[in-house]
Amino acid sequence: MTAAQPLLPLAGRLRLRAGVAPERIDARPLFAQALFQGMPADSVPKLAGRLYALCGGAHEMAARLALAAARGETPRRSDAAALRELQQQALSEHLRHLWLDWPRHLLGHHAAPEELRVLAQLRQHGVAGLQEVLPHELYGMPAREWVQRRREHQLDQWLAQAASLPARCLRAVADLAQTLQLTRVPSLEALRSPADLRRIAEAALARADFVLTPEFAGRARETGCSPRLQRIGRPRAGDVHARLLDRLEEIALLLLDEPLLRVRALNLGAGRGMACVDTARGMLIHALTLDGAERVGLYRVIAPTEWNFHPRGAFTAAFARQGAASDRRGGTLLALAYDPCIEFEVQTQKDAA
């Protein structure tokens, strides 16, 4: 999946300043629920996929599964097929992020056209066409070997010498990134039981603004590559450098067909359904209700950004620890580690004065 052109301009921005809750400069999380209300149910999945430039395929899948669950249907596609599709989408989004966003934020400039051959191959052949060449392009070695080296704490030589664009980005910020400590926040990935997922979906359907600051048991949660890797026994990332490396490890594991990503759909009662699907950024949730005419009543979308950039969430807590002296570069690295699905701007205390 390449980044699709959104049907409408839903970009938005986050304004980030140490000690202050992230300020959203748009109402994007509320847009879908207002747009979809009253629409014929069958028109929603395709439209959901077109509304979001990032992870559009995951939004379409979540909408389709939530709709089927509301109808009490068993999804037509097998779980294996859905997971394979999701894996391809996540890999595509990971690659777009590494080759487009990392150079811009970590090196201070866009990648040169000749450095974007991976994305050109992705557009031409899809992820399947990159299975053989991507490990060399990204790691300079087989994916399994890179993972093994990381787990044995033997990446120093790779980081110092690797020629790939993502490796050069990491090398440029490694010293600073290792000083930026993360704050422990409960993992959203641990909430996978039907009762837990039902509780989140019911809260979203009951209160429209829940999607802006989602919580579970009164606390914000963290989602993304790092919490997913903890499920398979990897240590929790303690600093920004480790969290950035977690993204590279997830890519390697997805190339090796490790079952990291999950899809779940639940019927919440007559005409009510929800679905959660794993994306490159973390867990995406759609919940909806249908009326007797097969039109949408309520519609809710909770994206990973709303969890990770919650006012009392993972990014906010880590950024606040930098104190009044925090600089724009440190804030940018922290934000990139949590990877919001919209553009962001970092303000220093001096900027806000």
Side-chain angles (χ1 to χ4, degrees), residues 263-280:
V263 176
R264 191 69 182 267
L266 293 174
N267 177 272
L268 304 174
R272 299 160 63 87
M274 67 88 64
C276 65
V277 301
D278 282 338
T279 73

Side-chain angles (χ1 to χ4, degrees), residues 304-325:
T305 297
E306 276 57 69
W307 293 100
N308 287 336
F309 290 83
H310 187 286
R312 296 185 302 280
F315 168 83
T316 308
F319 198 18
R321 290 177 60 180
Q322 293 187 77

Side-chain angles (χ1 to χ4, degrees), residues 57-275:
H59 280 277
E60 180 177 346
M61 180 185 293
R64 185 175 68 240
L65 292 172
L67 176 59
R71 290 168 167 165
E73 299 173 355
T74 300
R76 297 175 186 173
R77 303 188 63 191
S78 70
D79 288 342
L83 287 171
R84 185 65 181 172
E85 178 183 338
L86 202 62
Q87 176 177 318
Q88 301 292 305
Q89 293 170 9
L91 277 169
S92 296
E93 184 54 33
H94 278 317
L95 299 183
R96 188 209 65 81
H97 183 63
L98 263 60
W99 265 268
L100 295 181
D101 295 340
W102 275 23
R104 181 162 55 97
H105 290 297
L106 301 183
L107 299 180
H109 58 77
H110 293 279
E114 62 271 15
E115 295 177 307
L116 297 177
R117 60 182 179 273
V118 166
L119 298 188
Q121 290 174 307
L122 178 66
R123 286 192 296 270
Q124 185 174 0
H125 303 294
V127 171
L130 289 176
Q131 293 289 122
E132 297 297 326
V133 301
L134 182 56
H136 174 75
E137 292 282 355
L138 179 53
Y139 309 109
M141 65 184 72
R144 193 177 303 279
E145 179 181 345
W146 189 93
V147 171
Q148 188 63 31
R149 287 193 185 189
R150 189 189 183 198
R151 294 183 179 182
E152 294 175 354
H153 307 287
Q154 295 180 0
L155 280 185
D156 289 349
Q157 183 178 3
W158 174 83
L159 187 62
Q161 299 177 356
S164 73
L165 180 59
R168 301 201 316 268
C169 291
L170 279 173
R171 186 157 58 240
V173 299
D175 290 343
L176 176 58
Q178 290 175 45
T179 70
L180 297 173
Q181 298 299 304
L182 305 179
T183 301
R184 284 188 173 272
V185 173
S187 171
L188 183 62
E189 308 304 319
L191 306 179
R192 294 287 179 157
S193 74
D196 290 339
L197 297 178
R198 178 184 297 272
R199 184 172 171 181
I200 294 171
E202 294 286 8
L205 291 171
R207 203 183 84 222
D209 63 352
F210 179 85
V211 302
L212 297 174
T213 54
E215 297 181 352
F216 185 87
R219 299 187 68 182
R221 297 274 167 164
E222 175 186 355
T223 188
C225 297
S226 296
R228 274 199 294 261
L229 290 177
Q230 288 177 60
R231 293 203 317 252
I232 61 171
R234 299 294 292 127
R236 187 184 186 111
D239 58 49
V240 166
H241 183 65
R243 191 173 173 100
L244 294 176
L245 284 173
D246 280 349
R247 181 179 290 270
L248 268 64
E249 183 166 344
E250 174 160 294
I251 292 172
L253 294 175
L254 290 176
L255 289 171
L256 295 168
D257 287 325
E258 292 285 341
L260 289 177
L261 307 184
R262 299 180 182 179
V263 176
R264 191 69 182 267
L266 293 174
N267 177 272
L268 304 174
R272 299 160 63 87
M274 67 88 64

